[in-house]
Amino acid sequence: SEGKDGDSAAENTPPQVPQGKLGERSSVFYTAGQFFFEYLVVVSLKKMPDGHYEPKITYQFPKRENLLKGQKEEEERLLQAIPLFCFPDGNNWVPITDFTSETFSFVLTNVDGSRKIGYCRRLLPSGRGVRLPEVFCIISCLGCFGLFSKILDEVEKRRQISMAVIYPFMQGLRESPFPAPGKTVTIKSFIPESGTELIELTRPVDAHLEHVEFQALLQRLNPHLILHIFASAMLERRLIFLAEELSVLSQCIHAVAALLYPFTWAHTYIPVVPECLLDTVCCPTPFMVGIQKRHLEQVLEQPMEEALIVDLCEGKIIRAVGDEEEILPGKLQNEVLMSLNRHNNNNNMHTSEQVNALVSEAFVHFFVRLVGHYASHIKWGRSGSGSFQERAFCKAITSKSCRRFVKKFVKTNMFSLFIEEAEKSRIPQEGNG
C-alpha cells in the first residue's frame, strides 16, 4: 500500500505505494509528543445497484475543516484510498452471522513522500442474524503496531456496546501525547455500566522494532528461506508474498522490511495489494508486495519480470531466480543461520520482544561485519560535508566473497540513501570543534 515515484498522483487515484527515502525510517519511528493519530474512520460495505457490495467510509473522526486547497486535495486522495485497503479482497461479500476479527495494517505514501499507516480491525458488529463486517481504521504517521492493536482492542470492546462510546475514548487518545520509547501514557475512559477505566499504553524501549513481529515470519518460514528472501531484498529484487489472511501478509512483510535495518527498503512496498491493483506485479522496478493466495492464478498470468514468490501458507518459495543460495557471503550467512536456528530451538522460551531483539541483533551484526567500516571511508571537507570513498571502502574488505557481494550492494538505492545521510551527519569529534 505504498509507492512513490516523485510524480504527483492523478486526481482520482489513491496515494501511491512508496519508493521510500532513507529519511522515511525516521518518519516511521517518531519522537514523543505527537498526536497518536490523524483519523479514525469506519469503512462499511454498501450494496450497489448491481447487487455487489462496495466499501465506503461511513464515519470519520475528527472532521477537518478550514483546510487549504492543497491539504483538502491530499485529504480527499487519502479518504478515497482508505476503503480500498480496508477491503483489499474485492467486493465478493455477502451478509454473514459469524466472523473472527482480524487486525492488519497498510501504508500509504503521499506525493510529497510523507508516509501514513492504516491500522485496521475488521469485525462483525454485535447483533442477531446476518450482517456485514466493517473495518475500524486508524490513520497515523506513527509506526507502532503493538500499541495500535491494543487501541483497536478498546475500540472493538466499545463497538459491541455502541458507536457513541468510541468517540470519547478516541477524543481522549487524540488529546494525549505520544509517549517516548519505554514510557507509558494513561487514557481515562468511561464505559456505561463499567464506570471509568484507565487504559495504559506503553511503547517498547527499542523504537526501531515497535512495528515488527518477527515471530510471525519465523512461524511460517524456515531460517534458510528467510535468508534467501533477505538476500533478494538486499539486491532490491521483486518480492511477492502469498497468504490468505491480511494479518499474516502485513506482519510478515513488515518483518522482512525490518530485517534490512539500519537500511530502508527504498521501493514500492504494499503489504496487502487490493484486488484492483494486482497489475502492480508487472512493475519493472523493485517491489515488495503481499497478495491474497486466492489471486495467485491471476498474478501468474500477468506479464511479470523475474520475481521471488513466497507462499507463507505452505512455507515455501514457489518461484525463484535460482541464485538465492549463493548471493550472501557463505561465512556470514552461516552465522545468521546459526543465530536463527538457536532461536528456533528455544522457541517457547522467548517473549515476542526477546524474539524481536534476538533476530534484529543477528542481522545488524551481519551488516556490521560486512559494511561496518563505512564511516572510516567518508572523507570530510573543511565545510563539514562528507564524500564517501567507495573504491577504498570495497578494497578494505579482505574476504573475496564479501568484497564481491559488497560491490553489488553499494549500487543499491538503500545503500546510496544510507551513505547520503551519513555524508550529511558528521558528529563533531571532541577537540575538533
Side-chain angles (χ1 to χ4, degrees):
S1 27
E2 322 178 18
K4 155 172 85 68
D5 302 315
D7 311 324
S8 58
E11 182 83 9
N12 295 318
T13 57
Q16 262 233 296
V17 210
Q19 307 194 10
K21 294 191 174 114
L22 183 75
E24 283 182 352
R25 177 164 291 283
S26 57
S27 76
V28 177
F29 306 109
Y30 317 73
T31 53
Q34 290 176 272
F35 275 137
F36 262 90
F37 68 97
E38 289 191 19
Y39 298 103
L40 166 73
V41 297
V42 180
V43 178
S44 307
L45 291 162
K46 295 289 177 193
K47 196 165 191 176
M48 306 312 284
D50 65 358
H52 276 98
Y53 290 91
E54 265 191 25
K56 303 279 182 191
I57 291 177
T58 51
Y59 176 85
Q60 176 194 331
F61 168 76
K63 291 275 188 196
R64 288 175 64 188
E65 290 159 6
N66 308 321
L67 292 174
L68 299 172
K69 189 181 176 214
Q71 292 173 318
K72 200 164 186 176
E73 285 170 1
E74 182 183 314
E75 182 180 48
E76 280 169 11
R77 268 201 299 271
L78 175 72
L79 295 174
Q80 265 182 352
I82 290 169
L84 195 61
F85 291 100
C86 288
F87 284 94
D89 29 14
N91 52 11
N92 304 316
W93 287 92
V94 291
I96 46 179
T97 53
D98 191 41
F99 182 79
T100 306
S101 298
E102 56 183 345
T103 310
F104 57 97
S105 64
F106 59 85
V107 188
L108 295 169
T109 299
N110 278 309
V111 289
D112 65 354
S114 61
R115 183 181 280 192
K116 298 182 195 299
I117 301 173
Y119 297 95
C120 301
R121 176 68 55 87
R122 194 188 277 180
L123 53 86
L124 201 59
S126 59
R128 291 183 182 168
V130 295
R131 50 212 188 280
L132 289 157
E134 60 191 10
V135 174
F136 284 77
C137 176
I138 299 171
I139 299 292
S140 176
C141 296
L142 306 169
C144 193
F145 192 83
L147 205 62
F148 281 94
S149 292
K150 193 170 177 185
I151 291 166
L152 287 166
D153 289 344
E154 296 297 331
V155 168
E156 181 168 3
K157 186 163 81 177
R158 284 157 179 74
R159 175 64 183 105
Q160 304 313 335
I161 302 166
S162 151
M163 276 293 287
V165 193
I166 296 172
Y167 173 81
F169 169 67
M170 295 307 287
Q171 181 65 38
L173 188 67
R174 193 164 165 80
E175 289 165 1
S176 302
F178 191 63
K183 301 296 180 187
T184 299
V185 67
T186 304
I187 315 287
K188 279 186 181 177
S189 180
F190 177 78
I191 296 187
E193 297 179 22
S194 303
T196 300
E197 284 189 2
L198 295 178
I199 296 135
E200 293 194 338
L201 299 168
T202 305
R203 263 182 94 186
V205 176
D206 197 340
H208 94 264
L209 293 175
E210 61 189 341
H211 199 58
V212 183
E213 195 63 70
F214 285 129
Q215 193 74 63
L217 198 61
L218 291 160
Q219 283 169 349
R220 287 168 182 84
L221 300 172
N222 71 48
H224 264 101
L225 294 186
I226 292 172
L227 261 292
H228 289 177
I229 293 161
F230 172 70
S232 300
M234 277 193 75
L235 292 186
E236 297 183 329
R237 292 179 172 180
R238 287 170 285 275
L239 293 105
I240 299 171
F241 295 85
L242 304 168
E244 209 43 67
E245 300 96 333
L246 306 181
S247 55
V248 171
L249 283 173
S250 65
Q251 280 186 338
C252 288
I253 292 184
H254 287 313
V256 169
L259 295 177
L260 299 168
Y261 179 83
F263 299 91
T264 306
W265 179 257
H267 298 278
T268 300
Y269 173 75
I270 315 183
V272 182
V273 177
E275 186 178 12
C276 60
L277 296 180
L278 286 179
D279 61 358
T280 302
V281 300
C282 302
C283 186
T285 54
F287 56 73
M288 194 184 292
V289 302
I291 287 169
Q292 286 186 289
K293 197 171 174 181
R294 70 184 80 165
H295 303 312
L296 176 58
E297 217 168 288
Q298 225 174 316
V299 166
L300 295 176
E301 286 168 0
Q302 303 281 347
M304 261 192 302
E305 298 201 23
E306 236 173 15
L308 183 76
I309 304 180
V310 182
D311 186 336
L312 295 166
C313 305
E314 305 280 331
K316 64 183 185 183
I317 288 173
I318 59 175
R319 183 181 283 185
V321 174
D323 62 350
E324 286 79 8
E325 187 71 53
E326 286 85 45
I327 295 173
L328 300 176
K331 192 178 174 191
L332 294 185
Q333 178 166 283
N334 288 336
E335 284 178 11
V336 179
L337 271 176
M338 277 170 65
S339 295
L340 294 181
N341 283 325
R342 256 202 313 275
H343 155 265
N344 274 2
N345 297 338
N346 297 321
N347 218 352
N348 303 322
M349 295 164 62
H350 298 309
T351 63
S352 170
E353 288 78 15
Q354 287 170 325
V355 171
N356 280 353
L358 287 167
V359 174
S360 180
E361 192 182 319
F363 284 91
V364 168
H365 182 67
F366 169 89
F367 283 121
V368 169
R369 292 280 305 274
L370 192 70
V371 295
H373 61 299
Y374 77 91
S376 56
H377 293 279
I378 296 177
K379 193 174 179 181
W380 296 99
R382 286 186 180 176
S383 64
S385 62
S387 171
F388 180 60
Q389 311 296 296
E390 185 184 301
R391 201 168 162 199
F393 165 76
C394 292
K395 212 171 170 183
I397 301 167
T398 51
S399 156
K400 281 183 183 174
S401 61
C402 287
R403 196 184 313 134
R404 199 164 46 240
F405 174 71
V406 168
K407 280 182 175 177
K408 292 178 187 170
F409 184 52
V410 295
K411 302 300 179 195
T412 62
N413 270 1
M414 75 176 91
F415 187 82
S416 301
L417 291 167
F418 180 85
I419 289 299
E420 269 175 40
E421 206 71 16
E423 287 171 334
K424 286 183 218 159
S425 59
R426 186 180 195 184
I427 298 164
Q429 297 301 306
E430 204 176 325
N432 290 355

